[in-house]
Amino acid sequence: TDTGSQKDRVVAEEEWLQKWETGNIWFHKERGHPLLQKYLDVLLNGRSGLRIFFPLCGKAVEMKWLADMGHSVVGVEVSEKALKEFFAEHSLPFCEEPVPEISGAKKFQTTSGNIALYCCSIYDLSSSIVGRFDGVWDRGALVAVNPCDRQRYVSLMITLMEKNSSYLLVTVSYDPNKHKGPPFYVPESEIKSLFG
Ligand code: SAH
């Protein structure tokens, strides 16, 4: 399929912030994603107490699910409003602190410390700041990244993964000439070459 019509499209950070400000958050799934339930065993692979990463997390309710199962959740999101809504909607007390390594970034963490959400661009993160993860839930993340940034995004994700980590990726399949995205159409062949 020709994805040429989307390859030069760029959604600025400001546009994402705007979506959150105006409540134009069609991508948010209040009841969580059925595919996480379906493939939870693949993500966990019999392990408990994992560190799980949510790139471009929004206020994904799946973060609460996994934390309630005893895992430690880390997310990153540019919109502070999204993160504050997450804590408020789940009645989770949290504290806020600066991130010394990233100017302007904030870290919001539940009092119990099992959910830590970074308010900054994912491209500001590195394994020296957030560590490495045993599992990744990538829904609305790779498909939301600007097509020109895909390789950079995937290379970063690879550096954030522990040796035996599992990565669940949700993509969308449609004719990219009919919609401008996001979510963008990322063909399977491209996913294979991106992740290697
Ligand atoms: N994964 C979430 C949200 C998907 S929408 C879910 O499943 O509901 C994509 C999100 O990425 C938006 O909330 C947007 O504000 C955020 N975002 C976009 N670019 C980003 C970046 N460079 N770093 C961190 N977050 C970003």
Side-chain angles (χ1 to χ4, degrees), residues 16 20 27-28 56-58 76-78 120-123 139-140 144:
W16 285 109
W20 281 101
F27 47 81
H28 177 66
L56 283 65
C57 62
V76 61
E77 165 60 51
V78 285
C120 60
S121 170
I122 187 167
Y123 305 113
R139 183 269 169 181

Side-chain angles (χ1 to χ4, degrees), residues 82-174:
L83 299 181
K84 290 200 162 148
E85 285 181 14
F86 172 79
F87 292 111
E89 288 168 15
H90 298 283
S91 309
L92 292 167
F94 68 95
C95 52
E96 174 181 334
E97 51 183 73
V99 183
E101 300 91 338
I102 312 169
S103 88
K106 290 177 186 170
K107 180 185 181 181
F108 297 93
Q109 197 161 8
T110 50
T111 325
S112 48
N114 59 343
I115 304 179
L117 306 180
Y118 288 81
C119 188
C120 60
S121 170
I122 187 167
Y123 305 113
D124 294 331
L125 296 184
S126 66
S127 60
S128 59
I129 302 170
V130 292
R132 290 178 188 265
F133 299 96
D134 308 300
V136 176
W137 172 246
D138 182 324
R139 183 269 169 181
L142 175 65
V143 298
V145 159
N146 289 319
C148 60
D149 294 325
R150 272 177 203 154
Q151 189 62 67
R152 180 184 182 197
Y153 170 82
V154 171
S155 301
L156 170 63
M157 292 304 288
I158 289 170
T159 68
L160 298 182
M161 290 168 74
E162 211 56 270
K163 267 226 154 46
N164 288 310
S165 63
S166 15
Y167 193 117
L168 292 186
L169 171 66
V170 183
T171 60
V172 283
S173 184
Y174 66 89

